[in-house]
Amino acid sequence: MGERKPDGLQRHFGLLQATALNITMIVGAGVFGVIPAMLGKLDGGYALLAWIAVGALILLDGMTWSELGASIPGSGGSYLYLLEGYGRARWGRLMAFLFIWQFLISGPLEIASGLILMGKFSYALHPALQRFNGNWSYLLKFASWEEGKELIVGVGPVQIGAALLGVLMILLLYRRITTLGKLTVTFWAGVLLAIAWILVEGALRFNAERAFDFSTLQAPLSSVKGLENLGAAMILALYSYLGYYHICYIGDEVRDPGRTIPRAIFLSAVAVCLLFVGVHLALLGTLPWREVKEMDSPAAEFMRRIHGDWAATLITLLIIWSCFGSAFAGLLGYSRIPYGAARYGHFFAALGAVHPVHRIPHIALFLVGGLTLFWSFFDLESVINALIVTRILEQFIGQIGAVMLLRRNQPDRPRPYRIWLYPLPCGLALCGWLFVYVAAGWQYVVLGLATLGAGLIAFFIWARWKRDWPFGAAATQ
């Protein structure tokens, strides 16, 4: 039996379980969807630099998560760290509110990306499916957000089918979930089987000259355009890495959190970095990269060329199954984040409502689910850029500030883990996040600032209505 806290939560996550949980949340089908787009930014072997650069960034950022998670081992993750780091009575309330606000944007974007990927991967099930969808799609083309590219909202049979799967997820979650553990295992097993299959087949047929083709590069990495391309590829890689910190959200249930949380973050970050680089090399060591960058589902084409159509269909079904599972688990978890904040008086009270029969946060579920359905009609790269940009300011950069404020304001707080070479890793991580933020393009920088500004307005309206800080006394802590 694991040790219990006074509130009754059992600390049953040791190092192995905590690391497995993190890896479970990171490893999904997204890696198969972003590799073609990454090759559109960086040619051939240069695309590996994005995986490696983001791997270094998450290791640096993981130190911030580790110190916060070890010294404030409660449930809630960023929400709790920002509240504590900036001060529960005043600025911490604003930062916690802004974190929930951005999560209501980035959370549905992340879940929607799974629905979009299901649509893209489904083209591999039959050659005529993509042509059929294109013939019946109604495309809304907006003004170009960047040179040579339009933001496209596709409303065709495939997009509608993916959205209907999103509706199905909402209906499945509009009830008590008693078999979630078993469902999660089967969803995760699909993507693990797909990745393992590709790694084995790729290792047997690996061509180093093909995998490490550095013969062309769109622009020198020392140039402005080259740095923009690297940053754009890093955003795509970062999307696949999201979740390396998930153990911090359930710190109340971790044994010896001061040691377990930092080790779990480090081990999971290193493991997935090696895993994704391995998948990348397996695909690019077998298929020419110029062909891969034009594919909707490189994993399916990889298997088709090795074993034929049956293998392409099987791996496509495995990947779609894992996409469904990832989106399902994301919708379940992300609907609980605004609910929890509302229940503790740190967000709009309506989202804290619980269904009288099903005992679920139905208002939060419908809000997150509805936003997910809306974003599911946008193109994948635009959704990923918006997702990453809206998280950088309020979460990743906000936490760097939180850990530094805690060092200054609470020097005697117990810190079982302390950032190595502090504050150098914080400074390097900050530079990395700002580089990624700017590399997304001015349109997404404006989007990030606009959502932050809207969040500030919403906070002041909410605080005024509640007569809370800064318009009245803060609630009793």
Side-chain angles (χ1 to χ4, degrees), residues 49-90:
L49 295 176
W51 291 114
I52 296 170
V54 175
L57 176 58
I58 67 171
L59 285 173
L60 290 168
D61 189 61
M63 294 186 191
T64 295
W65 282 95
S66 295
E67 179 164 320
L68 290 170
S71 58
I72 313 174
S75 296
S78 299
Y79 164 76
L80 182 61
Y81 307 152
L82 295 171
L83 186 64
E84 188 71 27
Y86 290 88
R88 286 178 174 269
R90 297 185 176 183

Side-chain angles (χ1 to χ4, degrees), residues 21-28 30 51 54 58 61 65 102-103 106-107 109-111 113 234-246 249 268-269 272 276 326 334 383-392 395-396 433:
L21 176 67
N22 268 8
I23 294 175
T24 300
M25 294 305 300
I26 303 169
V27 177
W51 291 114
V54 175
I58 67 171
D61 189 61
W65 282 95
Q102 68 84 16
F103 225 97
S106 66
L109 283 166
E110 185 176 348
I111 303 167
S113 70
M234 286 176 64
I235 290 174
L236 294 166
L238 183 59
Y239 163 73
S240 297
Y241 280 119
L242 290 178
Y244 58 92
Y245 41 76
H246 192 77
Y249 286 100
S268 58
V272 295
F276 290 159
S326 177
Y334 290 171
V383 165
I384 291 175
N385 282 333
L387 155 65
I388 298 300
V389 163
T390 51
R391 282 201 185 169
I392 286 177
Q395 184 174 24
F396 298 122
W433 289 124

Side-chain angles (χ1 to χ4, degrees), residues 424-445:
L424 180 60
C426 293
L428 292 174
L430 177 61
C431 291
W433 289 124
L434 290 174
F435 171 71
V436 171
Y437 185 75
V438 173
W442 68 266
Q443 304 87 349
Y444 293 99
V445 170

